[in-house]
């Protein structure tokens, strides 16, 4: 997100705009916590995880009163438009602002990678790489102890993070919400694996499927193999961003500024096949990017 903020500020200043940062997202919009951002205020942040503007989950903005208050603050500060960096919740908020005449353009940032209208969202690649490093480490200990593991990754109700990290990490099985699976088939695969002297069996579980401890327990009851659990949690949401994420954030942040200056509004910028595309918020939040079933099938073949 810092790389996107940097791009918005620097592209914006090049276009002759004055840029103000809003602290803690919609929370800061309601409370009027704005800070001027100049060229040097975004110096040295491209490699930093998180966001210098801080972030918050804001319940108040989900109420009409909260939105009205935010609109008042935007008008009082004489802002011409807003660049919103976030996921579907952020763009739903953007739709509310649009309805009240505030021009906005969205930049997709979420480790879940579940938005329609962009090949990937900012943060996804870094999260995949973090999960991958964890999987590599878990595989070392799993192999030495000849153990099975359930490794739970984030993704909310989507399985992209699990699919990509599981495929890249050589998981024996990947459980994602988009593709139902039979518990007995996974149990049989674990048994077969250890019978043919496989030294580990790693299941990457998307958090949207079920709890990792529950899955491990159910598989233990069917196989008699102890299954260890590792829940990766919030380590997937921090750390130095990958090269791809910095590149993506730079392209999208700059494109968002150009879009709003050219009069576009109510749309999310995305990068598809290396081209900048704009998608109305309504589509970005309501249409779900389809899971790549070919990649999923491949993971089953390669995980044998
Ligand atoms: O949407 C991004 C995400 O990281 C999800 O993958 C995860 O379920 C959720 O946010 C965690 O949110 P919080 O940190 O507020 O619990």
């Amino acid at each position: 997100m810092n790389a996107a903020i940097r791009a918005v500020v620097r592209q914006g200043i090049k276009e002759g705009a004055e840029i103000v940062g809003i602290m803690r997202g919609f929370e800061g919009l309601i409370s009027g916590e704005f800070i001027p951002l100049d060229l040097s205020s975004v110096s040295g942040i491209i490699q930093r995880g998180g966001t210098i503007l801080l972030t918050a989950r804001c319940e108040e903005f989900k109420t009409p009163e909260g939105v009205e208050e935010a609109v008042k603050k935007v008008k009082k500060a004489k802002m011409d438009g807003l660049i919103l960096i976030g996921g579907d919740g952020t763009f739903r908020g953007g739709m509310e602002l649009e309805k009240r005449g505030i021009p906005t353009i969205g930049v997709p940032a979420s480790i879940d990678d579940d938005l329609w209208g962009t090949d990937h969202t900012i943060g996804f690649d870094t999260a995949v790489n973090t999960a991958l490093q964890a999987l590599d480490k878990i595989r070392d200990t799993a192999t030495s102890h000849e153990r099975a593991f359930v490794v739970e990754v984030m993704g909310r109700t989507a399985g992209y993070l699990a699919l990509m990290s599981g495929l890249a990490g050589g998981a024996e099985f990947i459980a994602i919400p988009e593709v139902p699976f039979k518990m007995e088939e996974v149990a049989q695969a674990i048994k077969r694996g250890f019978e043919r002297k496989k030294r580990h069996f790693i299941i990457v579980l998307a958090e949207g499927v079920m709890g990792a401890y529950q899955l491990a327990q159910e598989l233990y009851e069917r196989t008699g193999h102890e299954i260890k659990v590792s829940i990766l949690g919030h380590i997937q949401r921090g750390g130095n961003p990958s090269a791809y994420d910095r590149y993506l954030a730079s392209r999208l942040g700059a494109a968002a500024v150009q879009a709003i200056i050219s009069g576009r509004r109510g749309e999310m910028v995305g990068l598809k096949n290396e081209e900048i595309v704009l998608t109305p918020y309504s589509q970005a939040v309501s249409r779900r990017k389809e899971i790549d079933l070919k990649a999923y099938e491949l993971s089953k073949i390669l995980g044998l």
Side-chain angles (χ1 to χ4, degrees):
M1 285 202 198
N2 283 324
I5 294 166
R6 173 177 175 269
V8 168
V9 171
R10 295 212 165 147
Q11 183 73 38
I13 289 172
K14 184 195 162 260
E15 307 280 351
E18 202 179 305
I19 309 287
V20 168
I22 297 157
M23 299 303 292
R24 300 179 185 83
F26 291 134
E27 200 174 291
L29 206 54
I30 294 172
S31 63
E33 207 180 334
F34 308 144
I35 52 160
L37 293 173
D38 60 13
L39 289 175
S40 60
S41 59
V42 290
S43 173
I45 65 168
I46 196 168
Q47 80 288 1
R48 283 168 55 188
T51 156
I52 57 162
L53 296 177
L54 313 184
T55 185
R57 304 221 185 267
C58 179
E59 288 306 314
E60 200 183 346
F61 195 76
K62 291 181 185 155
T63 66
E65 296 75 26
V67 180
E68 294 302 340
E69 194 51 44
V71 168
K72 266 193 219 156
K73 295 287 180 1
V74 171
K75 288 187 176 158
K76 193 169 166 223
K78 296 192 168 45
M79 291 181 188
D80 299 309
L82 302 175
I83 306 285
L84 308 176
I85 306 174
D88 54 353
T90 305
F91 303 145
R92 284 203 175 87
M95 287 160 80
E96 292 303 318
L97 292 168
E98 285 291 334
K99 276 190 216 157
R100 291 162 176 85
I102 307 294
T104 74
I105 285 287
V107 175
S110 167
I111 64 164
D112 303 341
D113 204 27
D114 55 349
L115 290 173
W116 175 267
T118 186
D119 286 343
H120 295 295
T121 50
I122 297 164
F124 172 68
D125 187 63
T126 305
V128 166
N129 281 292
T130 302
L132 191 60
Q133 279 182 13
L135 283 169
D136 288 348
K137 291 181 172 126
I138 287 167
R139 184 178 299 283
D140 286 345
T141 179
T143 306
S144 304
H145 283 272
E146 301 178 274
R147 275 176 175 162
F149 265 84
V150 173
V151 181
E152 184 185 300
V153 301
M154 280 185 166
R156 211 177 281 272
T157 57
Y160 306 98
L161 185 51
L163 179 55
M164 186 72 101
S165 55
L167 185 55
E172 274 63 38
F173 184 72
I174 303 171
I176 54 175
E178 294 84 350
V179 186
F181 66 93
K182 291 201 172 67
M183 198 63 76
E184 189 52 30
E185 281 175 17
V186 186
Q188 290 305 325
I190 294 173
K191 279 189 190 166
R192 270 198 314 275
F194 284 116
E195 271 160 24
R196 68 177 180 81
K197 305 276 180 261
K198 225 174 172 7
R199 299 219 180 276
H200 51 251
F201 196 100
I202 295 181
I203 297 165
V204 174
L205 168 69
E207 65 176 351
V209 175
M210 66 195 300
Y213 285 101
Q214 187 194 342
L215 178 60
Q217 180 63 27
E218 289 192 26
L219 290 171
Y220 169 68
E221 282 163 15
R222 286 167 193 261
T223 61
H225 280 277
E226 187 193 10
I227 320 259
K228 293 282 179 185
V229 169
S230 183
I231 299 175
L232 300 188
H234 288 78
I235 63 160
Q236 295 158 101
R237 292 234 310 236
N240 303 119
S242 68
Y244 180 76
D245 267 335
R246 299 181 202 193
Y247 166 78
L248 181 66
S250 300
R251 294 276 320 256
L252 295 182
V257 168
Q258 286 168 328
I260 207 157
I261 283 177
S262 68
R264 305 291 293 249
R265 53 166 63 196
E267 293 167 294
M268 180 194 91
V269 288
L271 196 65
K272 279 186 139 182
N273 297 323
E274 290 304 305
E275 295 289 335
I276 294 291
V277 288
L278 287 144
T279 304
Y281 290 150
S282 55
Q283 276 186 34
V285 301
S286 64
R287 295 180 74 168
R288 187 69 172 272
K289 196 171 82 174
E290 277 168 26
I291 204 88
D292 187 344
L293 287 175
K294 286 192 185 137
Y296 182 77
E297 288 307 320
L298 180 64
S299 78
K300 282 169 80 174
I301 295 166
L302 303 185
L304 286 175

